[in-house]
Amino acid sequence: MFFVVSKVFWFFLQPLNLSLFLLLAGVVALLAGWRRLAITGCLGGFSILALATWTSLGAILLNPLEERFQRPNLLEKVDGIVVLGGGLEGAINLVRGGYELNRAGDRFVETAILARRFPDAKIVVSGGVGSLLLDGEGDAATAERLLTALGVEPERLVLENDSRNTYENAVFTKRLVSPKSGETWLLVTSAFHMPRSMALFRKADFAVLPWPVDYRTSGQEGVGLLRDNPTDALQNTTMAIREWIGLVAYWLSGKIASPFPGPV
């Protein structure tokens, strides 16, 4: 139920959809003769879209998330590496049978690099189909083709292809690999996604070290207009709002202990 509600809620609240719904409401209100309501709806829709695409709002919201966790230094031994799905184009890969990457594909590139750096570590790919309506191939299934093509031995791979969100990533992965006390595990995911991911793995009693990748900000954007191209700015704003809402929702539902988890 949490998965379905979260997907439906986010469909209406993400900036692009919300602005379109407000603009549509404004048009309907105008046709109905409700001039004040029409102006409010149209201005609201335009304002949301303008802030999301023409300002540095997205970078400002993303940067605190990206800076929250840093990579550990001087690791000599790693027993396992967990990479969270989300970096592969599931709908395309299901049809074409390849391993097309999206903007979060750094997760899998970095995992391949870590696999070479720590040749004895297990490589766990956690991620099924996270869409409510769209059909696609789970990232764990695609990642097997990608990582073996990049030279990772198939026997090192552990595939978790059932999880639909980050909560299930943590719970299902812990159940699958049964990590032992004293082992060192790395968690690879996008930097903005790391606070929620680390909190959920802690809640699942799976001790992991953060290995953030896929940075979307330089940390030097500041407040301003047209600091990025509109498409990337809109995506950054969308991802940032989604992540902050996700943190609060997981905290209110008891799935994580803090609305803004940090290093211990």
Side-chain angles (χ1 to χ4, degrees), residues 12-243:
F12 288 100
L13 198 64
Q14 58 183 294
L16 181 58
N17 283 356
L18 181 58
S19 63
L20 290 174
F21 287 133
L22 287 173
L23 289 170
L24 177 61
V27 171
V28 172
L30 183 62
L31 293 175
W34 303 327
R35 187 170 179 272
R36 182 174 297 179
L37 187 59
I39 293 174
T40 301
C42 290
L43 282 178
F46 172 78
S47 298
I48 291 171
L49 199 55
L51 283 171
T53 57
W54 294 343
T55 76
S56 55
L57 175 64
I60 292 170
L61 292 174
L62 274 181
N63 188 247
L65 296 167
E66 294 191 334
E67 300 296 337
R68 193 65 166 167
F69 285 88
Q70 305 298 320
R71 296 180 181 181
N73 296 319
L74 303 176
L75 290 175
E76 296 182 0
K77 181 178 180 294
V78 169
D79 298 282
I81 300 161
V82 179
V83 55
L84 302 188
L88 294 162
E89 292 287 352
I92 296 173
N93 294 326
L94 177 65
V95 177
R96 297 188 178 275
Y99 28 76
E100 299 298 327
L101 302 174
N102 59 30
R103 197 177 176 191
D106 290 6
R107 301 182 187 188
F108 293 99
V109 175
E110 186 67 24
T111 298
I113 294 171
L114 289 170
R116 293 176 63 87
R117 179 177 172 186
F118 302 106
D120 297 324
K122 296 178 182 177
I123 311 297
V124 183
V125 183
S126 179
V129 179
S131 173
L132 186 61
L133 299 175
L134 297 178
D135 197 14
E137 183 176 58
D139 276 11
T142 307
E144 183 178 18
R145 295 196 301 271
L146 172 63
L147 293 175
T148 53
L150 291 173
V152 180
E153 298 84 352
E155 58 271 18
R156 296 176 62 189
L157 297 176
V158 180
L159 306 176
E160 187 286 294
N161 207 21
D162 295 324
S163 56
R164 301 167 298 172
N165 55 30
T166 315
Y167 170 76
E168 292 181 353
N169 286 148
V171 173
F172 295 173
T173 303
K174 166 72 182 301
R175 185 187 305 158
L176 184 63
V177 303
S178 301
K180 298 177 179 61
S181 177
E183 290 184 339
T184 300
W185 287 78
L186 300 182
L187 178 63
V188 179
T189 190
S190 300
F192 66 83
H193 187 234
M194 191 60 77
R196 184 155 54 107
S197 302
M198 285 295 295
L200 286 164
F201 272 75
R202 288 172 184 166
K203 193 74 171 180
D205 196 26
F206 189 169
V208 291
L209 296 176
W211 200 270
V213 296
D214 180 35
Y215 286 87
R216 307 294 178 96
T217 72
S218 67
Q220 300 177 350
E221 286 83 359
V223 178
L225 294 172
L226 303 176
R227 297 290 184 92
D228 202 350
N229 71 75
T231 302
D232 287 347
L234 176 60
Q235 188 176 29
N236 284 347
T237 305
T238 302
M239 295 303 301
I241 292 173
R242 179 182 181 184
E243 201 59 35

